[in-house]
Amino acid sequence: MMSSPHTIPSLRIGTFNARSRLFVGTGKYKDHQTMREALEVSGCDVVTVAVRRERLIDASGRSLFDSLDMSRYTILPNTAGCFTADDAIRVALLGRELLEKQKNPGAGWVKLEVLGDKKTLLPDPVGTIEATRELVKEGFTVLAYTSDDPRSAVRIKEAGAASVMPAGSPIGTGQGVLNPLNISLCLELLKENDPTYPVIVDAGVGTASDVTVAMELGADGILLNTGIAHAADPVSMARAMSLALESGYLAARAGRIPRKRYATASSPFEGVISYIPGE
C-alpha cells in the first residue's frame, strides 16, 4: 500500500504542531484564487503571512486574511522586510495582536527574518540573535531564518529559537540547495544534543527536486513561496512540492546504498552456467 502525506508524522515546534511538514507562503501569487488553490493541493496546514501593512493590505484596503480560511490554516506570521532587530520585534508583536483578534492558533509564534540588505536579502546574524532573545522573553515561539553557516545556526538556537531555518540559497533565487555540506553540518550541530530539534530548510527552492534533496539531507520540513507562486502553473507545482517532500522524507529514512567508485553487477557472475553453442 502506497504511503500518503498523512502517514508522515506531524512536526512539533515548541507548543505548535504542524500536520504537514510543508510550510507555504502567501505572497507573489497573481491573484488570491490561485493562492487558495495552490495552498489546497499542497496539503499544508501552516501558511506564512507577512504582517507589515504594505504586504498584508492590498490596494483596495482588503486584508490577506480575508482570502484565507482561518479555521483551516494556522497562520505563521513573518517579519519579512525587516532590516533591524527593533523593526522585526515590532512587526512580530503586531502579528500576534492581529492573530489574537482573528482567534487564529498562530498567535504566539513567528517566523523571524532580520535581513542585512535589500540586494542579497541575506540574514543579519547579529540582528537575528538580538531579536530572537527579545522575542523569546516576550513569550514567542521563534522560528529563525538564517544563512547556511553552521556556527550562526548554533548561536541562534542558543539564543532560544524553537527552530532554526537555514537557507538553501538566497530568497527567491530558485537555485535550490547550493551547499549540501553546510546544510548537513547545520543539521548535525543543531541536533547534536537533541535529535528531535526541528530544522526547516527555508528559501531558494525552485522545483520539486530541490525539496527532495533538502529532505534527503535530513531536514524536518521545508518552507517555500516563490517556487510555487511564480511557477507557470502554481497549482501543479504545489502538488509536486508536496509529493517531493514525502519522497525525500521516506528516502532519508529508508537508507540509500553507499556510493561506489566501480560498478557492481545486479546479478552475480559466480555460479552462472556457461552455454557454448554446439555443445
Side-chain angles (χ1 to χ4, degrees), residues 7-200:
T7 65
I8 295 177
S10 60
L11 180 61
R12 189 78 174 174
I13 304 173
T15 60
F16 292 85
N17 197 62
R19 178 184 56 80
S20 169
R21 291 168 180 253
L22 184 65
F23 297 65
V24 182
T26 52
K28 302 184 179 181
Y29 290 91
K30 64 178 181 179
D31 53 56
H32 286 178
Q33 179 61 31
T34 302
M35 176 195 71
R36 286 192 294 267
E37 292 176 8
L39 294 178
E40 169 77 23
V41 302
S42 75
C44 74
D45 60 312
V46 174
V47 298
T48 65
V49 173
V51 295
R52 292 177 67 98
R53 179 173 173 79
E54 68 271 21
R55 300 182 182 218
L56 183 61
I57 308 297
D58 67 15
S60 301
R62 294 173 301 181
S63 170
L64 178 63
F65 291 146
D66 297 335
S67 296
L68 292 171
D69 184 348
M70 301 294 279
S71 66
R72 173 172 183 172
Y73 297 113
T74 297
I75 306 300
L76 173 58
N78 70 60
T79 64
C82 293
F83 292 87
T84 68
D86 287 344
D87 195 16
I89 292 165
R90 283 193 297 270
V91 170
L93 292 169
L94 172 62
R96 181 163 66 183
E97 180 182 345
L98 290 172
L99 291 178
E100 286 173 345
K101 290 179 179 178
Q102 294 282 341
K103 296 182 171 54
N104 188 272
W109 66 350
V110 63
K111 181 204 169 187
L112 175 63
E113 294 182 24
V114 182
L115 304 176
D117 62 81
K118 294 183 178 180
K119 183 175 183 178
T120 68
L121 297 182
L122 291 172
D124 174 1
V126 175
T128 300
I129 291 170
E130 180 184 341
T132 297
R133 287 176 177 151
E134 291 304 312
L135 289 171
V136 169
K137 290 179 183 177
E138 290 284 345
F140 280 90
T141 296
V142 178
L143 292 74
Y145 165 66
T146 184
S147 69
D148 64 2
D149 173 53
R151 293 312 314 169
S152 291
V154 170
R155 293 300 187 195
I156 293 168
K157 178 185 178 182
E158 290 172 347
S163 175
V164 173
M165 310 175 77
S169 52
I171 293 172
T173 62
Q175 296 184 64
V177 179
L178 285 179
N179 195 332
L181 175 60
N182 271 30
I183 295 295
S184 65
L185 285 172
C186 286
L187 285 159
E188 180 181 344
L189 294 177
L190 290 169
K191 292 175 173 288
E192 192 168 33
N193 297 315
D194 181 6
T196 66
Y197 184 80
V199 181
I200 300 169

Side-chain angles (χ1 to χ4, degrees), residues 227-244:
I228 292 177
H230 279 187
D233 182 347
V235 177
S236 293
M237 184 60 81
R239 177 62 175 149
M241 298 295 193
S242 175
L243 294 171

Side-chain angles (χ1 to χ4, degrees), residues 203-237:
V205 171
T207 191
S209 58
D210 299 333
V211 172
T212 301
V213 167
M215 293 302 293
E216 286 184 352
L217 287 171
D220 296 294
I222 304 292
L223 192 150
L224 59 89
N225 184 185
T226 310
I228 292 177
H230 279 187
D233 182 347
V235 177
S236 293
M237 184 60 81

